[in-house]
Each structure stands twice: as structure tokens, then as C-alpha cells.
PDB file of all heavy atoms in Angstrom:
ATOM      1  N   VAL A   1     117.562 100.099 109.345  1.00 94.00           N
ATOM      2  CA  VAL A   1     116.936 101.408 109.625  1.00 94.00           C
ATOM      3  C   VAL A   1     115.457 101.308 109.196  1.00 94.00           C
ATOM      4  O   VAL A   1     115.119 100.471 108.375  1.00 94.00           O
ATOM      5  CB  VAL A   1     117.640 102.541 108.830  1.00 94.00           C
ATOM      6  CG1 VAL A   1     119.077 102.748 109.307  1.00 94.00           C
ATOM      7  CG2 VAL A   1     117.595 102.337 107.339  1.00 94.00           C
ATOM      8  N   SER A   2     114.694 102.140 109.809  1.00 94.00           N
ATOM      9  CA  SER A   2     113.258 102.081 109.511  1.00 94.00           C
ATOM     10  C   SER A   2     112.987 102.277 108.056  1.00 94.00           C
ATOM     11  O   SER A   2     113.603 103.141 107.438  1.00 94.00           O
ATOM     12  CB  SER A   2     112.539 103.207 110.336  1.00 94.00           C
ATOM     13  OG  SER A   2     111.163 103.023 110.335  1.00 94.00           O
ATOM     14  N   GLY A   3     112.171 101.406 107.508  1.00 95.00           N
ATOM     15  CA  GLY A   3     111.803 101.445 106.073  1.00 95.00           C
ATOM     16  C   GLY A   3     112.548 100.400 105.268  1.00 95.00           C
ATOM     17  O   GLY A   3     112.248 100.249 104.090  1.00 95.00           O
ATOM     18  N   ASP A   4     113.513  99.683 105.887  1.00 96.00           N
ATOM     19  CA  ASP A   4     114.235  98.654 105.156  1.00 96.00           C
ATOM     20  C   ASP A   4     113.342  97.535 104.770  1.00 96.00           C
ATOM     21  O   ASP A   4     112.504  97.043 105.561  1.00 96.00           O
ATOM     22  CB  ASP A   4     115.418  98.058 105.985  1.00 96.00           C
ATOM     23  CG  ASP A   4     116.615  98.956 105.989  1.00 96.00           C
ATOM     24  OD1 ASP A   4     116.734  99.857 105.129  1.00 96.00           O
ATOM     25  OD2 ASP A   4     117.539  98.717 106.754  1.00 96.00           O
ATOM     26  N   GLN A   5     113.436  97.034 103.523  1.00 97.00           N
ATOM     27  CA  GLN A   5     112.697  95.830 103.102  1.00 97.00           C
ATOM     28  C   GLN A   5     113.636  94.656 103.160  1.00 97.00           C
ATOM     29  O   GLN A   5     114.701  94.629 102.570  1.00 97.00           O
ATOM     30  CB  GLN A   5     112.140  96.024 101.692  1.00 97.00           C
ATOM     31  CG  GLN A   5     110.932  96.963 101.603  1.00 97.00           C
ATOM     32  CD  GLN A   5     110.227  96.831 100.319  1.00 97.00           C
ATOM     33  OE1 GLN A   5     110.600  96.123  99.419  1.00 97.00           O
ATOM     34  NE2 GLN A   5     109.143  97.667 100.173  1.00 97.00           N
ATOM     35  N   ILE A   6     113.201  93.624 103.844  1.00 97.00           N
ATOM     36  CA  ILE A   6     113.896  92.389 104.029  1.00 97.00           C
ATOM     37  C   ILE A   6     113.270  91.347 103.189  1.00 97.00           C
ATOM     38  O   ILE A   6     112.050  91.102 103.326  1.00 97.00           O
ATOM     39  CB  ILE A   6     113.924  91.949 105.524  1.00 97.00           C
ATOM     40  CG1 ILE A   6     114.503  93.083 106.378  1.00 97.00           C
ATOM     41  CG2 ILE A   6     114.682  90.670 105.740  1.00 97.00           C
ATOM     42  CD1 ILE A   6     114.210  92.915 107.870  1.00 97.00           C
ATOM     43  N   ILE A   7     114.024  90.625 102.327  1.00 96.00           N
ATOM     44  CA  ILE A   7     113.479  89.616 101.500  1.00 96.00           C
ATOM     45  C   ILE A   7     114.087  88.274 101.910  1.00 96.00           C
ATOM     46  O   ILE A   7     115.305  88.060 101.942  1.00 96.00           O
ATOM     47  CB  ILE A   7     113.813  89.861 100.074  1.00 96.00           C
ATOM     48  CG1 ILE A   7     113.168  91.202  99.606  1.00 96.00           C
ATOM     49  CG2 ILE A   7     113.188  88.699  99.167  1.00 96.00           C
ATOM     50  CD1 ILE A   7     113.594  91.643  98.203  1.00 96.00           C
ATOM     51  N   LEU A   8     113.173  87.381 102.315  1.00 95.00           N
ATOM     52  CA  LEU A   8     113.520  85.997 102.715  1.00 95.00           C
ATOM     53  C   LEU A   8     112.719  85.080 101.830  1.00 95.00           C
ATOM     54  O   LEU A   8     111.460  85.093 101.929  1.00 95.00           O
ATOM     55  CB  LEU A   8     113.137  85.715 104.177  1.00 95.00           C
ATOM     56  CG  LEU A   8     113.578  86.725 105.255  1.00 95.00           C
ATOM     57  CD1 LEU A   8     113.036  86.323 106.570  1.00 95.00           C
ATOM     58  CD2 LEU A   8     115.081  86.811 105.303  1.00 95.00           C
ATOM     59  N   GLY A   9     113.376  84.298 101.001  1.00 92.00           N
ATOM     60  CA  GLY A   9     112.594  83.429 100.070  1.00 92.00           C
ATOM     61  C   GLY A   9     111.760  84.312  99.149  1.00 92.00           C
ATOM     62  O   GLY A   9     112.220  85.259  98.525  1.00 92.00           O
ATOM     63  N   ASP A  10     110.465  84.012  99.161  1.00 93.00           N
ATOM     64  CA  ASP A  10     109.473  84.796  98.342  1.00 93.00           C
ATOM     65  C   ASP A  10     108.710  85.753  99.289  1.00 93.00           C
ATOM     66  O   ASP A  10     107.732  86.360  98.783  1.00 93.00           O
ATOM     67  CB  ASP A  10     108.518  83.841  97.620  1.00 93.00           C
ATOM     68  CG  ASP A  10     109.178  82.993  96.574  1.00 93.00           C
ATOM     69  OD1 ASP A  10     110.101  83.545  95.893  1.00 93.00           O
ATOM     70  OD2 ASP A  10     108.787  81.843  96.368  1.00 93.00           O
ATOM     71  N   THR A  11     109.146  85.930 100.456  1.00 95.00           N
ATOM     72  CA  THR A  11     108.446  86.783 101.429  1.00 95.00           C
ATOM     73  C   THR A  11     109.158  88.096 101.612  1.00 95.00           C
ATOM     74  O   THR A  11     110.423  88.146 101.722  1.00 95.00           O
ATOM     75  CB  THR A  11     108.329  86.059 102.768  1.00 95.00           C
ATOM     76  OG1 THR A  11     107.696  84.807 102.585  1.00 95.00           O
ATOM     77  CG2 THR A  11     107.537  86.882 103.746  1.00 95.00           C
ATOM     78  N   ILE A  12     108.432  89.175 101.556  1.00 96.00           N
ATOM     79  CA  ILE A  12     109.008  90.502 101.763  1.00 96.00           C
ATOM     80  C   ILE A  12     108.456  91.118 103.105  1.00 96.00           C
ATOM     81  O   ILE A  12     107.266  91.062 103.315  1.00 96.00           O
ATOM     82  CB  ILE A  12     108.677  91.513 100.604  1.00 96.00           C
ATOM     83  CG1 ILE A  12     109.161  90.937  99.304  1.00 96.00           C
ATOM     84  CG2 ILE A  12     109.230  92.869 100.900  1.00 96.00           C
ATOM     85  CD1 ILE A  12     108.734  91.717  98.093  1.00 96.00           C
ATOM     86  N   LEU A  13     109.398  91.555 103.866  1.00 97.00           N
ATOM     87  CA  LEU A  13     109.137  92.145 105.196  1.00 97.00           C
ATOM     88  C   LEU A  13     109.526  93.562 105.259  1.00 97.00           C
ATOM     89  O   LEU A  13     110.458  93.928 104.566  1.00 97.00           O
ATOM     90  CB  LEU A  13     109.838  91.358 106.316  1.00 97.00           C
ATOM     91  CG  LEU A  13     109.724  89.858 106.354  1.00 97.00           C
ATOM     92  CD1 LEU A  13     110.673  89.227 107.344  1.00 97.00           C
ATOM     93  CD2 LEU A  13     108.262  89.409 106.660  1.00 97.00           C
ATOM     94  N   LEU A  14     108.827  94.367 106.026  1.00 98.00           N
ATOM     95  CA  LEU A  14     109.222  95.776 106.182  1.00 98.00           C
ATOM     96  C   LEU A  14     109.618  95.996 107.607  1.00 98.00           C
ATOM     97  O   LEU A  14     108.845  95.669 108.613  1.00 98.00           O
ATOM     98  CB  LEU A  14     108.064  96.712 105.814  1.00 98.00           C
ATOM     99  CG  LEU A  14     108.280  98.143 106.000  1.00 98.00           C
ATOM    100  CD1 LEU A  14     109.306  98.667 105.062  1.00 98.00           C
ATOM    101  CD2 LEU A  14     106.973  98.928 105.846  1.00 98.00           C
ATOM    102  N   PHE A  15     110.831  96.453 107.851  1.00 97.00           N
ATOM    103  CA  PHE A  15     111.327  96.759 109.226  1.00 97.00           C
ATOM    104  C   PHE A  15     110.924  98.224 109.532  1.00 97.00           C
ATOM    105  O   PHE A  15     111.145  99.136 108.689  1.00 97.00           O
ATOM    106  CB  PHE A  15     112.811  96.597 109.283  1.00 97.00           C
ATOM    107  CG  PHE A  15     113.350  97.105 110.651  1.00 97.00           C
ATOM    108  CD1 PHE A  15     113.181  96.404 111.791  1.00 97.00           C
ATOM    109  CD2 PHE A  15     113.990  98.320 110.677  1.00 97.00           C
ATOM    110  CE1 PHE A  15     113.724  96.832 112.986  1.00 97.00           C
ATOM    111  CE2 PHE A  15     114.527  98.823 111.896  1.00 97.00           C
ATOM    112  CZ  PHE A  15     114.376  98.041 113.045  1.00 97.00           C
ATOM    113  N   GLU A  16     110.314  98.399 110.681  1.00 95.00           N
ATOM    114  CA  GLU A  16     109.958  99.766 111.101  1.00 95.00           C
ATOM    115  C   GLU A  16     110.317  99.921 112.559  1.00 95.00           C
ATOM    116  O   GLU A  16     110.343  98.971 113.383  1.00 95.00           O
ATOM    117  CB  GLU A  16     108.436  99.962 111.000  1.00 95.00           C
ATOM    118  CG  GLU A  16     107.957  99.880 109.574  1.00 95.00           C
ATOM    119  CD  GLU A  16     106.453  99.983 109.507  1.00 95.00           C
ATOM    120  OE1 GLU A  16     105.723  98.963 109.847  1.00 95.00           O
ATOM    121  OE2 GLU A  16     105.948 101.002 109.048  1.00 95.00           O
ATOM    122  N   GLU A  17     110.674 101.137 112.921  1.00 92.00           N
ATOM    123  CA  GLU A  17     110.952 101.458 114.345  1.00 92.00           C
ATOM    124  C   GLU A  17     110.436 102.787 114.708  1.00 92.00           C
ATOM    125  O   GLU A  17     110.227 103.648 113.834  1.00 92.00           O
ATOM    126  CB  GLU A  17     112.423 101.306 114.698  1.00 92.00           C
ATOM    127  CG  GLU A  17     113.402 102.135 113.916  1.00 92.00           C
ATOM    128  CD  GLU A  17     114.839 101.836 114.241  1.00 92.00           C
ATOM    129  OE1 GLU A  17     115.115 101.332 115.335  1.00 92.00           O
ATOM    130  OE2 GLU A  17     115.680 102.100 113.371  1.00 92.00           O
ATOM    131  N   ARG A  18     110.136 102.936 115.986  1.00 82.00           N
ATOM    132  CA  ARG A  18     109.599 104.165 116.493  1.00 82.00           C
ATOM    133  C   ARG A  18     110.647 105.290 116.313  1.00 82.00           C
ATOM    134  O   ARG A  18     111.849 105.058 116.371  1.00 82.00           O
ATOM    135  CB  ARG A  18     109.326 104.022 117.981  1.00 82.00           C
ATOM    136  CG  ARG A  18     108.511 105.159 118.542  1.00 82.00           C
ATOM    137  CD  ARG A  18     107.964 104.855 119.903  1.00 82.00           C
ATOM    138  NE  ARG A  18     108.878 104.042 120.682  1.00 82.00           N
ATOM    139  CZ  ARG A  18     108.912 104.069 122.019  1.00 82.00           C
ATOM    140  NH1 ARG A  18     108.053 104.787 122.619  1.00 82.00           N
ATOM    141  NH2 ARG A  18     109.740 103.311 122.674  1.00 82.00           N
ATOM    142  N   ALA A  19     110.163 106.475 116.051  1.00 70.00           N
ATOM    143  CA  ALA A  19     111.120 107.653 115.857  1.00 70.00           C
ATOM    144  C   ALA A  19     111.965 107.805 117.078  1.00 70.00           C
ATOM    145  O   ALA A  19     111.475 107.763 118.200  1.00 70.00           O
ATOM    146  CB  ALA A  19     110.294 108.860 115.546  1.00 70.00           C
ATOM    147  N   LYS A  20     113.205 107.964 116.864  1.00 56.00           N
ATOM    148  CA  LYS A  20     114.142 108.137 117.955  1.00 56.00           C
ATOM    149  C   LYS A  20     114.198 109.600 118.431  1.00 56.00           C
ATOM    150  O   LYS A  20     114.011 110.490 117.595  1.00 56.00           O
ATOM    151  CB  LYS A  20     115.554 107.720 117.521  1.00 56.00           C
ATOM    152  CG  LYS A  20     115.676 106.316 117.079  1.00 56.00           C
ATOM    153  CD  LYS A  20     115.646 105.342 118.206  1.00 56.00           C
ATOM    154  CE  LYS A  20     116.003 103.937 117.779  1.00 56.00           C
ATOM    155  NZ  LYS A  20     114.963 103.152 117.336  1.00 56.00           N
ATOM    156  N   LYS A  21     114.425 109.754 119.675  1.00 45.00           N
ATOM    157  CA  LYS A  21     114.637 111.165 120.164  1.00 45.00           C
ATOM    158  C   LYS A  21     115.962 111.687 119.710  1.00 45.00           C
ATOM    159  O   LYS A  21     116.876 110.907 119.510  1.00 45.00           O
ATOM    160  CB  LYS A  21     114.674 111.141 121.758  1.00 45.00           C
ATOM    161  CG  LYS A  21     113.367 110.823 122.339  1.00 45.00           C
ATOM    162  CD  LYS A  21     113.419 110.811 123.830  1.00 45.00           C
ATOM    163  CE  LYS A  21     112.114 110.396 124.452  1.00 45.00           C
ATOM    164  NZ  LYS A  21     112.146 110.353 125.912  1.00 45.00           N
ATOM    165  N   ARG A  22     116.041 112.948 119.516  1.00 43.00           N
ATOM    166  CA  ARG A  22     117.280 113.554 119.046  1.00 43.00           C
ATOM    167  C   ARG A  22     118.358 113.391 120.067  1.00 43.00           C
ATOM    168  O   ARG A  22     118.124 113.537 121.275  1.00 43.00           O
ATOM    169  CB  ARG A  22     117.102 115.031 118.771  1.00 43.00           C
ATOM    170  CG  ARG A  22     116.334 115.323 117.579  1.00 43.00           C
ATOM    171  CD  ARG A  22     116.316 116.814 117.384  1.00 43.00           C
ATOM    172  NE  ARG A  22     115.514 117.164 116.207  1.00 43.00           N
ATOM    173  CZ  ARG A  22     115.010 118.359 115.993  1.00 43.00           C
ATOM    174  NH1 ARG A  22     115.249 119.342 116.786  1.00 43.00           N
ATOM    175  NH2 ARG A  22     114.291 118.599 114.917  1.00 43.00           N
ATOM    176  N   THR A  23     119.554 113.047 119.647  1.00 46.00           N
ATOM    177  CA  THR A  23     120.642 112.961 120.562  1.00 46.00           C
ATOM    178  C   THR A  23     121.186 114.384 120.930  1.00 46.00           C
ATOM    179  O   THR A  23     120.916 115.318 120.221  1.00 46.00           O
ATOM    180  CB  THR A  23     121.829 112.140 119.977  1.00 46.00           C
ATOM    181  OG1 THR A  23     122.275 112.843 118.864  1.00 46.00           O
ATOM    182  CG2 THR A  23     121.354 110.749 119.563  1.00 46.00           C
ATOM    183  N   ALA A  24     121.924 114.473 121.970  1.00 46.00           N
ATOM    184  CA  ALA A  24     122.519 115.753 122.387  1.00 46.00           C
ATOM    185  C   ALA A  24     123.402 116.303 121.256  1.00 46.00           C
ATOM    186  O   ALA A  24     123.426 117.501 121.017  1.00 46.00           O
ATOM    187  CB  ALA A  24     123.273 115.621 123.679  1.00 46.00           C
TER     188      ALA A  24
END
């Protein structure tokens, strides 16, 4: 989910995604 921090070795990544449209 947007905002998740992924840690691989000594590297930290931030996952982001565009805001989704509301579902019906």
C-alpha cells in the first residue's frame, strides 16, 4: 500500500502509488 517502506540490505525504499478512484 502507498507509504510502505521496503528494506533490502541497507537500502530503504518507499512504495508510492497514485490515489485510486473510489469504487462503487
Side-chain angles (χ1 to χ4, degrees):
V1 295
S2 193
D4 279 347
Q5 284 194 359
I6 303 165
I7 301 172
L8 312 175
D10 293 325
T11 303
I12 301 173
L13 309 171
L14 178 66
F15 171 75
E16 299 175 285
E17 59 186 332
R18 190 168 38 154
K20 302 282 190 275
K21 294 181 181 177
R22 288 184 182 161
T23 64

